[in-house]
Amino acid sequence: EIVMTQSPATLSVSPGGRATLSCRASQSVSSNLAWYQQKPGQAPRLLIYGASTRATGIPARFSGSGSGTEFTLTISSLQSEDFAVYYCQQYNNWPPLTFGGGTTVEIK
Amino acid sequence: QVQLVQSGAEVKKPGASVKVSCKASGYTFTSYGISWVRQAPGQGLEWMGWISAYNGNTNYAQKFQGRVTMTTDTSTSTAYMELRSLRSDDTAVYYCARKGGSGTLSWFDSWGQGTLVTVSS
């Protein structure tokens, strides 16, 4: 099973600031990585797939990068609606499909 | 637009079974697989398994093998997840999610609203 590790667990950022979230895989997942955003009481929402392709309707301030075992989600200018929990997920080698433990982006 | 609408909250006793439904609309149901993902209170996301809506093939996480059954009804575009021998640590929100990507590429591009299953004596 591929273990996904996200860091930091919590990130405090000022509105308008930049957020950089990390996701590490226990073995290479090539570019087969997705990112999701989840707000309290809501289902997750797909942001990025293929490590760097934005899903339909996702603003350009969200960008993904990386391949192999190291990945980054960057939110370039945080808006109020971006404060949420973010999860990465690998789909290179499954079952099982595996998620990281999440990073909470909170208001500084 | 793609919609996945799940059945309502359930309260079950330990040892019982629960069956959650997920009705799809806005796309050709048999062209996409459905995964089930759960989230315990305050915790992260856990993948339970996947079913092909085309041919009913399934892949279950080893943790749930023998306790979970995923099915589909193509006549109503509905997917089902049944979990048996419920324990208190099965208390969670259960989501259905549509498989994005082709072949083995499997991210989740649409999600149901979630179904809270509470297991309590």
Side-chain angles (χ1 to χ4, degrees):
Chain A
E1 172 177 330
I2 297 178
V3 176
M4 306 301 293
T5 302
Q6 291 186 242
S7 61
T10 304
L11 187 60
S12 298
V13 184
S14 301
R18 183 185 188 91
T20 303
L21 289 66
S22 295
C23 175
R24 174 176 293 176
S26 60
Q27 63 189 77
S28 176
V29 298
S30 186
S31 295
N32 295 319
L33 185 107
W35 289 94
Y36 302 87
Q37 176 194 68
Q38 187 179 33
K39 297 179 182 179
Q42 296 186 17
R45 176 176 72 142
L46 176 67
L47 299 175
I48 301 280
Y49 61 92
S52 61
T53 302
R54 277 189 301 278
T56 303
I58 301 303
R61 65 181 181 272
F62 291 91
S63 63
S65 63
S67 66
T69 62
E70 301 282 345
F71 300 88
T72 300
L73 175 70
T74 302
I75 312 171
S76 60
S77 178
L78 272 154
Q79 307 297 302
S80 57
E81 62 266 30
D82 299 336
F83 293 96
V85 181
Y86 292 83
Y87 294 96
C88 60
Q89 175 237 331
Q90 70 82 22
Y91 50 92
N92 188 67
N93 190 353
W94 65 284
L97 294 162
T98 50
F99 293 90
T103 291
T104 300
V105 177
E106 64 176 25
I107 299 174
K108 186 174 184 178
Chain B
Q1 75 283 18
V2 175
Q3 269 199 307
L4 300 174
V5 179
Q6 298 183 221
S7 49
E10 304 261 13
V11 179
K12 296 292 183 181
K13 294 193 182 303
S17 299
V18 69
K19 191 169 186 177
V20 179
S21 68
C22 170
K23 184 170 177 59
S25 62
Y27 71 97
T28 302
F29 181 67
T30 52
S31 294
Y32 294 83
I34 294 284
S35 271
W36 291 87
V37 176
R38 76 177 186 179
Q39 187 170 39
Q43 302 301 308
L45 302 168
E46 180 177 33
W47 179 76
M48 300 179 67
W50 167 87
I51 182 166
S52 165
Y54 174 71
N55 59 16
N57 286 348
T58 55
N59 252 313
Y60 300 142
Q62 190 166 6
K63 174 177 181 176
F64 300 101
Q65 288 272 6
R67 214 160 61 93
V68 71
T69 301
M70 297 177 188
T71 57
T72 59
D73 181 344
T74 56
S75 69
T76 60
S77 299
T78 302
Y80 298 91
M81 186 281 300
E82 181 180 33
L83 189 62
R84 299 177 293 279
S85 302
L86 290 167
R87 308 183 287 255
S88 58
D89 62 358
D90 290 318
T91 294
V93 175
Y94 289 77
Y95 295 101
C96 60
R98 191 180 80 161
K99 175 186 180 294
S102 58
T104 60
L105 301 178
S106 186
W107 58 86
F108 309 116
D109 64 0
S110 293
W111 294 68
Q113 83 277 19
T115 297
L116 175 62
V117 175
T118 303
V119 183
S120 174
S121 54

